[in-house]
Amino acid sequence: VITEERRSLKMLEFEERRRRGIGYFITQEQIERRNLPVAADYLRLAPSISLAPSPNPSGISDLVAISKREGGSVFGDGANACAMQIVVDGVPMPPRFPLELLPTPKEISGFEIYAGAATVPVQFSGLDRRCGMILIWTRDY
């Protein structure tokens, strides 16, 4: 009889980083317990993130994650709002990625949120990390 739950390599790395205590983590268990309707709702739980509208070429505003800690601005107006880098399963998303396009909470295994460049794990150092980073890991089915 096997009693151990099978974890993917990406989730083993997630758990190792979580044990180190740097960053803000939301686990699959927390996602299931809260049962919120969209992924962006979970990002509202992180103390270092604000969600703000960002205009797109169609004139409709997309919801983006901005760091409360870093300088700069989503709009280039010096409003101290810096768009965070979104990474899904190790793949960086375009700048000011619309949170409406994230996987659904039922598809997500975990979130890692790093408020600034100094806390981002070294394996993600080649990406734009000046405003912090949000790593999203999807479930393996």
PDB file of all heavy atoms in Angstrom, residues 62-90:
ATOM      1  N   ASP A  62      -7.010  45.953 -18.667  1.00  0.00           N
ATOM      2  CA  ASP A  62      -6.700  44.633 -18.146  1.00  0.00           C
ATOM      3  C   ASP A  62      -6.285  44.795 -16.692  1.00  0.00           C
ATOM      4  O   ASP A  62      -5.701  45.806 -16.312  1.00  0.00           O
ATOM      5  CB  ASP A  62      -5.535  44.007 -18.911  1.00  0.00           C
ATOM      6  CG  ASP A  62      -5.865  43.706 -20.356  1.00  0.00           C
ATOM      7  OD1 ASP A  62      -6.985  43.262 -20.618  1.00  0.00           O
ATOM      8  OD2 ASP A  62      -4.980  43.913 -21.210  1.00  0.00           O
ATOM      9  N   LEU A  63      -6.530  43.797 -15.883  1.00  0.00           N
ATOM     10  CA  LEU A  63      -6.085  43.787 -14.499  1.00  0.00           C
ATOM     11  C   LEU A  63      -4.666  43.236 -14.461  1.00  0.00           C
ATOM     12  O   LEU A  63      -4.399  42.160 -15.002  1.00  0.00           O
ATOM     13  CB  LEU A  63      -7.025  42.913 -13.668  1.00  0.00           C
ATOM     14  CG  LEU A  63      -6.930  43.039 -12.160  1.00  0.00           C
ATOM     15  CD1 LEU A  63      -7.284  44.454 -11.713  1.00  0.00           C
ATOM     16  CD2 LEU A  63      -7.863  42.036 -11.507  1.00  0.00           C
ATOM     17  N   VAL A  64      -3.726  43.981 -13.850  1.00  0.00           N
ATOM     18  CA  VAL A  64      -2.338  43.552 -13.746  1.00  0.00           C
ATOM     19  C   VAL A  64      -1.900  43.581 -12.284  1.00  0.00           C
ATOM     20  O   VAL A  64      -2.481  44.293 -11.466  1.00  0.00           O
ATOM     21  CB  VAL A  64      -1.378  44.412 -14.605  1.00  0.00           C
ATOM     22  CG1 VAL A  64      -1.719  44.313 -16.079  1.00  0.00           C
ATOM     23  CG2 VAL A  64      -1.389  45.854 -14.153  1.00  0.00           C
ATOM     24  N   ALA A  65      -0.859  42.805 -11.974  1.00  0.00           N
ATOM     25  CA  ALA A  65      -0.301  42.773 -10.622  1.00  0.00           C
ATOM     26  C   ALA A  65       0.847  43.764 -10.546  1.00  0.00           C
ATOM     27  O   ALA A  65       1.751  43.742 -11.384  1.00  0.00           O
ATOM     28  CB  ALA A  65       0.191  41.363 -10.295  1.00  0.00           C
ATOM     29  N   ILE A  66       0.801  44.620  -9.537  1.00  0.00           N
ATOM     30  CA  ILE A  66       1.872  45.587  -9.337  1.00  0.00           C
ATOM     31  C   ILE A  66       2.466  45.398  -7.944  1.00  0.00           C
ATOM     32  O   ILE A  66       1.789  44.993  -7.008  1.00  0.00           O
ATOM     33  CB  ILE A  66       1.401  47.037  -9.543  1.00  0.00           C
ATOM     34  CG1 ILE A  66       0.221  47.367  -8.633  1.00  0.00           C
ATOM     35  CG2 ILE A  66       1.040  47.282 -10.997  1.00  0.00           C
ATOM     36  CD1 ILE A  66      -0.189  48.820  -8.664  1.00  0.00           C
ATOM     37  N   SER A  67       3.751  45.682  -7.840  1.00  0.00           N
ATOM     38  CA  SER A  67       4.446  45.545  -6.569  1.00  0.00           C
ATOM     39  C   SER A  67       4.207  46.779  -5.721  1.00  0.00           C
ATOM     40  O   SER A  67       4.309  47.908  -6.207  1.00  0.00           O
ATOM     41  CB  SER A  67       5.941  45.380  -6.816  1.00  0.00           C
ATOM     42  OG  SER A  67       6.638  45.414  -5.594  1.00  0.00           O
ATOM     43  N   LYS A  68       3.910  46.560  -4.459  1.00  0.00           N
ATOM     44  CA  LYS A  68       3.769  47.674  -3.522  1.00  0.00           C
ATOM     45  C   LYS A  68       5.133  48.173  -3.052  1.00  0.00           C
ATOM     46  O   LYS A  68       5.227  49.237  -2.467  1.00  0.00           O
ATOM     47  CB  LYS A  68       2.964  47.236  -2.301  1.00  0.00           C
ATOM     48  CG  LYS A  68       1.513  46.986  -2.581  1.00  0.00           C
ATOM     49  CD  LYS A  68       0.805  46.595  -1.297  1.00  0.00           C
ATOM     50  CE  LYS A  68      -0.666  46.360  -1.527  1.00  0.00           C
ATOM     51  NZ  LYS A  68      -1.341  45.939  -0.281  1.00  0.00           N
ATOM     52  N   ARG A  69       6.195  47.402  -3.322  1.00  0.00           N
ATOM     53  CA  ARG A  69       7.512  47.731  -2.778  1.00  0.00           C
ATOM     54  C   ARG A  69       8.426  48.473  -3.739  1.00  0.00           C
ATOM     55  O   ARG A  69       9.304  49.197  -3.307  1.00  0.00           O
ATOM     56  CB  ARG A  69       8.225  46.444  -2.360  1.00  0.00           C
ATOM     57  CG  ARG A  69       7.569  45.773  -1.195  1.00  0.00           C
ATOM     58  CD  ARG A  69       8.359  44.601  -0.723  1.00  0.00           C
ATOM     59  NE  ARG A  69       9.749  44.964  -0.502  1.00  0.00           N
ATOM     60  CZ  ARG A  69      10.722  44.094  -0.406  1.00  0.00           C
ATOM     61  NH1 ARG A  69      10.485  42.811  -0.537  1.00  0.00           N
ATOM     62  NH2 ARG A  69      11.951  44.474  -0.192  1.00  0.00           N
ATOM     63  N   GLU A  70       8.278  48.248  -5.030  1.00  0.00           N
ATOM     64  CA  GLU A  70       9.258  48.766  -5.979  1.00  0.00           C
ATOM     65  C   GLU A  70       8.792  50.057  -6.628  1.00  0.00           C
ATOM     66  O   GLU A  70       7.613  50.344  -6.707  1.00  0.00           O
ATOM     67  CB  GLU A  70       9.545  47.716  -7.052  1.00  0.00           C
ATOM     68  CG  GLU A  70      10.069  46.413  -6.491  1.00  0.00           C
ATOM     69  CD  GLU A  70      11.373  46.556  -5.728  1.00  0.00           C
ATOM     70  OE1 GLU A  70      12.234  47.355  -6.141  1.00  0.00           O
ATOM     71  OE2 GLU A  70      11.528  45.882  -4.705  1.00  0.00           O
ATOM     72  N   GLY A  71       9.738  50.831  -7.154  1.00  0.00           N
ATOM     73  CA  GLY A  71       9.430  52.084  -7.828  1.00  0.00           C
ATOM     74  C   GLY A  71       9.004  51.849  -9.258  1.00  0.00           C
ATOM     75  O   GLY A  71       8.829  50.735  -9.706  1.00  0.00           O
ATOM     76  N   GLY A  72       8.814  52.922 -10.014  1.00  0.00           N
ATOM     77  CA  GLY A  72       8.380  52.801 -11.397  1.00  0.00           C
ATOM     78  C   GLY A  72       6.883  52.910 -11.492  1.00  0.00           C
ATOM     79  O   GLY A  72       6.207  53.243 -10.530  1.00  0.00           O
ATOM     80  N   SER A  73       6.347  52.639 -12.670  1.00  0.00           N
ATOM     81  CA  SER A  73       4.916  52.785 -12.850  1.00  0.00           C
ATOM     82  C   SER A  73       4.432  51.951 -14.010  1.00  0.00           C
ATOM     83  O   SER A  73       5.092  51.843 -15.032  1.00  0.00           O
ATOM     84  CB  SER A  73       4.570  54.249 -13.102  1.00  0.00           C
ATOM     85  OG  SER A  73       3.225  54.382 -13.452  1.00  0.00           O
ATOM     86  N   VAL A  74       3.256  51.384 -13.871  1.00  0.00           N
ATOM     87  CA  VAL A  74       2.612  50.669 -14.966  1.00  0.00           C
ATOM     88  C   VAL A  74       2.355  51.641 -16.106  1.00  0.00           C
ATOM     89  O   VAL A  74       2.479  51.318 -17.276  1.00  0.00           O
ATOM     90  CB  VAL A  74       1.286  50.047 -14.480  1.00  0.00           C
ATOM     91  CG1 VAL A  74       0.478  49.511 -15.649  1.00  0.00           C
ATOM     92  CG2 VAL A  74       1.562  48.939 -13.492  1.00  0.00           C
ATOM     93  N   PHE A  75       1.993  52.853 -15.769  1.00  0.00           N
ATOM     94  CA  PHE A  75       1.597  53.846 -16.773  1.00  0.00           C
ATOM     95  C   PHE A  75       2.733  54.780 -17.173  1.00  0.00           C
ATOM     96  O   PHE A  75       2.548  55.636 -18.012  1.00  0.00           O
ATOM     97  CB  PHE A  75       0.425  54.671 -16.239  1.00  0.00           C
ATOM     98  CG  PHE A  75      -0.711  53.815 -15.765  1.00  0.00           C
ATOM     99  CD1 PHE A  75      -0.975  53.676 -14.420  1.00  0.00           C
ATOM    100  CD2 PHE A  75      -1.492  53.109 -16.664  1.00  0.00           C
ATOM    101  CE1 PHE A  75      -2.010  52.872 -13.982  1.00  0.00           C
ATOM    102  CE2 PHE A  75      -2.527  52.301 -16.233  1.00  0.00           C
ATOM    103  CZ  PHE A  75      -2.785  52.179 -14.883  1.00  0.00           C
ATOM    104  N   GLY A  76       3.908  54.645 -16.559  1.00  0.00           N
ATOM    105  CA  GLY A  76       5.030  55.513 -16.890  1.00  0.00           C
ATOM    106  C   GLY A  76       4.878  56.906 -16.308  1.00  0.00           C
ATOM    107  O   GLY A  76       5.520  57.845 -16.743  1.00  0.00           O
ATOM    108  N   ASP A  77       4.028  57.072 -15.297  1.00  0.00           N
ATOM    109  CA  ASP A  77       3.771  58.402 -14.750  1.00  0.00           C
ATOM    110  C   ASP A  77       4.408  58.611 -13.376  1.00  0.00           C
ATOM    111  O   ASP A  77       4.094  59.573 -12.679  1.00  0.00           O
ATOM    112  CB  ASP A  77       2.268  58.654 -14.665  1.00  0.00           C
ATOM    113  CG  ASP A  77       1.544  57.657 -13.768  1.00  0.00           C
ATOM    114  OD1 ASP A  77       2.226  56.807 -13.154  1.00  0.00           O
ATOM    115  OD2 ASP A  77       0.319  57.723 -13.691  1.00  0.00           O
ATOM    116  N   GLY A  78       5.290  57.703 -12.974  1.00  0.00           N
ATOM    117  CA  GLY A  78       5.955  57.848 -11.693  1.00  0.00           C
ATOM    118  C   GLY A  78       5.064  57.584 -10.499  1.00  0.00           C
ATOM    119  O   GLY A  78       5.318  58.049  -9.407  1.00  0.00           O
ATOM    120  N   ALA A  79       4.005  56.822 -10.676  1.00  0.00           N
ATOM    121  CA  ALA A  79       3.034  56.592  -9.605  1.00  0.00           C
ATOM    122  C   ALA A  79       3.440  55.468  -8.660  1.00  0.00           C
ATOM    123  O   ALA A  79       2.624  54.974  -7.915  1.00  0.00           O
ATOM    124  CB  ALA A  79       1.669  56.294 -10.221  1.00  0.00           C
ATOM    125  N   ASN A  80       4.712  55.078  -8.680  1.00  0.00           N
ATOM    126  CA  ASN A  80       5.214  54.020  -7.804  1.00  0.00           C
ATOM    127  C   ASN A  80       4.443  52.719  -7.941  1.00  0.00           C
ATOM    128  O   ASN A  80       4.145  52.056  -6.968  1.00  0.00           O
ATOM    129  CB  ASN A  80       5.236  54.482  -6.350  1.00  0.00           C
ATOM    130  CG  ASN A  80       6.260  55.553  -6.137  1.00  0.00           C
ATOM    131  OD1 ASN A  80       7.314  55.538  -6.760  1.00  0.00           O
ATOM    132  ND2 ASN A  80       5.958  56.501  -5.279  1.00  0.00           N
ATOM    133  N   ALA A  81       4.095  52.357  -9.152  1.00  0.00           N
ATOM    134  CA  ALA A  81       3.407  51.095  -9.424  1.00  0.00           C
ATOM    135  C   ALA A  81       4.191  50.357 -10.494  1.00  0.00           C
ATOM    136  O   ALA A  81       4.247  50.784 -11.629  1.00  0.00           O
ATOM    137  CB  ALA A  81       1.985  51.351  -9.891  1.00  0.00           C
ATOM    138  N   CYS A  82       4.795  49.283 -10.102  1.00  0.00           N
ATOM    139  CA  CYS A  82       5.687  48.549 -10.995  1.00  0.00           C
ATOM    140  C   CYS A  82       5.082  47.180 -11.303  1.00  0.00           C
ATOM    141  O   CYS A  82       4.832  46.393 -10.384  1.00  0.00           O
ATOM    142  CB  CYS A  82       7.035  48.412 -10.298  1.00  0.00           C
ATOM    143  SG  CYS A  82       8.377  47.826 -11.323  1.00  0.00           S
ATOM    144  N   ALA A  83       4.838  46.883 -12.576  1.00  0.00           N
ATOM    145  CA  ALA A  83       4.213  45.615 -12.968  1.00  0.00           C
ATOM    146  C   ALA A  83       5.144  44.446 -12.689  1.00  0.00           C
ATOM    147  O   ALA A  83       6.303  44.441 -13.096  1.00  0.00           O
ATOM    148  CB  ALA A  83       3.834  45.654 -14.438  1.00  0.00           C
ATOM    149  N   MET A  84       4.630  43.456 -11.988  1.00  0.00           N
ATOM    150  CA  MET A  84       5.416  42.279 -11.624  1.00  0.00           C
ATOM    151  C   MET A  84       5.504  41.309 -12.794  1.00  0.00           C
ATOM    152  O   MET A  84       4.579  41.217 -13.600  1.00  0.00           O
ATOM    153  CB  MET A  84       4.776  41.595 -10.419  1.00  0.00           C
ATOM    154  CG  MET A  84       4.720  42.483  -9.189  1.00  0.00           C
ATOM    155  SD  MET A  84       3.911  41.687  -7.796  1.00  0.00           S
ATOM    156  CE  MET A  84       5.264  40.700  -7.164  1.00  0.00           C
ATOM    157  N   GLN A  85       6.612  40.593 -12.876  1.00  0.00           N
ATOM    158  CA  GLN A  85       6.792  39.553 -13.891  1.00  0.00           C
ATOM    159  C   GLN A  85       5.949  38.347 -13.502  1.00  0.00           C
ATOM    160  O   GLN A  85       6.035  37.877 -12.375  1.00  0.00           O
ATOM    161  CB  GLN A  85       8.258  39.150 -13.988  1.00  0.00           C
ATOM    162  CG  GLN A  85       8.531  37.963 -14.883  1.00  0.00           C
ATOM    163  CD  GLN A  85       8.363  38.279 -16.352  1.00  0.00           C
ATOM    164  OE1 GLN A  85       9.051  39.128 -16.882  1.00  0.00           O
ATOM    165  NE2 GLN A  85       7.440  37.603 -16.995  1.00  0.00           N
ATOM    166  N   ILE A  86       5.130  37.863 -14.424  1.00  0.00           N
ATOM    167  CA  ILE A  86       4.325  36.661 -14.207  1.00  0.00           C
ATOM    168  C   ILE A  86       5.012  35.510 -14.939  1.00  0.00           C
ATOM    169  O   ILE A  86       5.384  35.645 -16.115  1.00  0.00           O
ATOM    170  CB  ILE A  86       2.891  36.830 -14.771  1.00  0.00           C
ATOM    171  CG1 ILE A  86       2.210  38.075 -14.211  1.00  0.00           C
ATOM    172  CG2 ILE A  86       2.072  35.562 -14.565  1.00  0.00           C
ATOM    173  CD1 ILE A  86       1.750  37.982 -12.801  1.00  0.00           C
ATOM    174  N   VAL A  87       5.161  34.370 -14.258  1.00  0.00           N
ATOM    175  CA  VAL A  87       5.769  33.180 -14.842  1.00  0.00           C
ATOM    176  C   VAL A  87       4.835  32.009 -14.568  1.00  0.00           C
ATOM    177  O   VAL A  87       4.480  31.757 -13.419  1.00  0.00           O
ATOM    178  CB  VAL A  87       7.167  32.913 -14.243  1.00  0.00           C
ATOM    179  CG1 VAL A  87       7.779  31.659 -14.836  1.00  0.00           C
ATOM    180  CG2 VAL A  87       8.088  34.108 -14.451  1.00  0.00           C
ATOM    181  N   VAL A  88       4.405  31.322 -15.628  1.00  0.00           N
ATOM    182  CA  VAL A  88       3.513  30.174 -15.484  1.00  0.00           C
ATOM    183  C   VAL A  88       4.277  28.916 -15.898  1.00  0.00           C
ATOM    184  O   VAL A  88       4.741  28.824 -17.040  1.00  0.00           O
ATOM    185  CB  VAL A  88       2.229  30.339 -16.335  1.00  0.00           C
ATOM    186  CG1 VAL A  88       1.331  29.115 -16.216  1.00  0.00           C
ATOM    187  CG2 VAL A  88       1.473  31.606 -15.941  1.00  0.00           C
ATOM    188  N   ASP A  89       4.442  28.007 -14.971  1.00  0.00           N
ATOM    189  CA  ASP A  89       5.179  26.757 -15.212  1.00  0.00           C
ATOM    190  C   ASP A  89       6.554  27.013 -15.823  1.00  0.00           C
ATOM    191  O   ASP A  89       6.985  26.313 -16.739  1.00  0.00           O
ATOM    192  CB  ASP A  89       4.370  25.797 -16.079  1.00  0.00           C
ATOM    193  CG  ASP A  89       3.194  25.190 -15.343  1.00  0.00           C
ATOM    194  OD1 ASP A  89       3.230  25.150 -14.094  1.00  0.00           O
ATOM    195  OD2 ASP A  89       2.237  24.754 -16.007  1.00  0.00           O
ATOM    196  N   GLY A  90       7.230  28.049 -15.328  1.00  0.00           N
ATOM    197  CA  GLY A  90       8.575  28.367 -15.794  1.00  0.00           C
ATOM    198  C   GLY A  90       8.638  29.192 -17.060  1.00  0.00           C
ATOM    199  O   GLY A  90       9.722  29.543 -17.512  1.00  0.00           O
TER     200      GLY A  90
END
